[in-house]
Amino acid sequence: MTSAEPVHPRGGPAAVRPPLPRPSGALRDVVHGMRGIGDGLPQGDGVAVFNRVYLSVTQELQRRLETGWFGDPRAAEELGARFAGRYLAAVRAQHAGAPTPACWRPLFQFRRHPHVRPLQFALAGINAHVGHDLPLALLATCRARRAEPADLEGDFERVGDLLTLLEERVREELMPGPDLLDVADPLTHLVGSWSLRMARSGAWMAFRTLWGLRQLPELAEEFTEGLDASVGMAGRCLLTPLAWG
């Protein structure tokens, strides 16, 4: 043994733990894309509101990938990159005047409405992203990795925990402060009618349905179109214009 070798306390060679994999360029690219979106929009724009909170959670995903928090870091990173990539693709399509998924159209349409509040913009973005984009990202990740849904379920739950942080941050930062009239504020009722927990559960069920339909492309396409439309309808309700107090 040379003097440069690490020594175990009992005198034998120390076990060297392999370094955790660092995030690849895919996740760095989506973070860069989100920063570009934020830099190009006024602060009050509805897309900018959602983008800010989503960027912070994606950066948290990067940090957790480096700490071994995920069971399969590479699969989790691919899921995160594919997931965020669908949002970035929708923003690019809208900017170019190309067709966009129905789930994102309400946010794009109402993004500058003076009577839609920042909390509504953020929740509408989460609704579109979780309800529609997440099941499609799960499906694409399974196909690309030749995996089964059960292989991703654990890390899906961990990604869901990060999304819960996103919702908590949104409500803490954008919900109006305590006031005697808050209980009567229509915003209180509106945001209370939407649940991230239910949206996550619905995303997993939609993914499992699409997985079951993977050999029936016509039915899978019909299901995807219906999912897109129904998520868009929920987003439109979340963006109901409200009078400011």
Side-chain angles (χ1 to χ4, degrees):
M1 185 189 316
T2 67
S3 60
E5 288 183 275
V7 178
H8 190 276
R10 294 185 178 179
V16 179
R17 183 179 179 182
L20 290 164
R22 296 185 64 80
S24 69
L27 204 55
R28 290 197 298 271
D29 287 346
V30 297
V31 167
H32 179 74
M34 288 181 202
R35 286 175 174 156
I37 289 172
D39 291 343
L41 293 174
Q43 187 173 8
D45 181 282
V47 174
V49 172
F50 169 71
N51 191 81
R52 282 196 297 274
V53 290
Y54 189 31
L55 172 59
S56 68
V57 171
T58 305
Q59 291 170 321
E60 179 64 22
L61 171 62
Q62 282 186 307
R63 286 190 288 272
R64 296 197 183 199
L65 282 168
E66 296 179 355
T67 65
W69 190 65
F70 288 97
D72 184 342
R74 298 199 184 282
E77 181 183 10
E78 181 168 355
L79 174 59
R82 289 182 182 277
F83 185 33
R86 298 197 69 88
Y87 158 65
L88 296 177
V91 173
R92 286 194 296 267
Q94 195 272 339
H95 183 73
T100 59
C103 62
W104 286 107
R105 289 175 203 156
L107 181 59
F108 295 149
Q109 180 182 358
F110 287 88
R111 61 194 296 177
R112 296 183 179 90
H113 197 293
H115 297 303
V116 177
R117 306 191 200 180
L119 179 61
Q120 293 175 263
F121 289 134
L123 292 183
I126 299 171
N127 171 71
H129 203 36
V130 173
H132 174 262
D133 294 350
L134 183 53
L136 297 184
L138 283 162
L139 182 66
T141 303
C142 266
R143 283 176 168 167
R145 301 186 69 82
R146 298 182 180 178
E148 294 289 325
D151 298 330
L152 291 183
E153 189 168 6
D155 284 335
F156 166 80
E157 292 297 334
R158 292 181 180 90
V159 169
D161 291 343
L162 289 179
L163 293 173
T164 299
L165 288 178
L166 169 61
E167 186 193 32
E168 291 173 354
R169 186 168 301 172
V170 163
R171 292 178 185 270
E172 288 174 1
E173 295 181 1
L174 301 179
M175 191 74 177
D179 188 276
L180 292 177
L181 297 180
D182 276 358
V183 68
D185 191 332
L187 179 64
T188 304
H189 172 75
L190 188 65
V191 301
S193 67
W194 186 84
S195 163
L196 175 61
R197 182 180 63 82
M198 295 300 294
R200 284 173 52 185
S201 176
W204 183 256
M205 288 189 290
F207 159 56
R208 290 299 303 268
T209 301
L210 287 167
W211 182 255
L213 294 174
R214 64 192 183 281
Q215 304 301 331
L216 301 168
E218 291 184 4
L219 285 178
E221 183 177 358
E222 288 181 15
F223 179 84
T224 303
E225 289 176 356
L227 177 68
D228 190 18
S230 63
V231 172
M233 181 172 63
R236 174 64 185 82
C237 292
L238 286 169
L239 292 170
T240 300
L242 303 172
W244 288 85

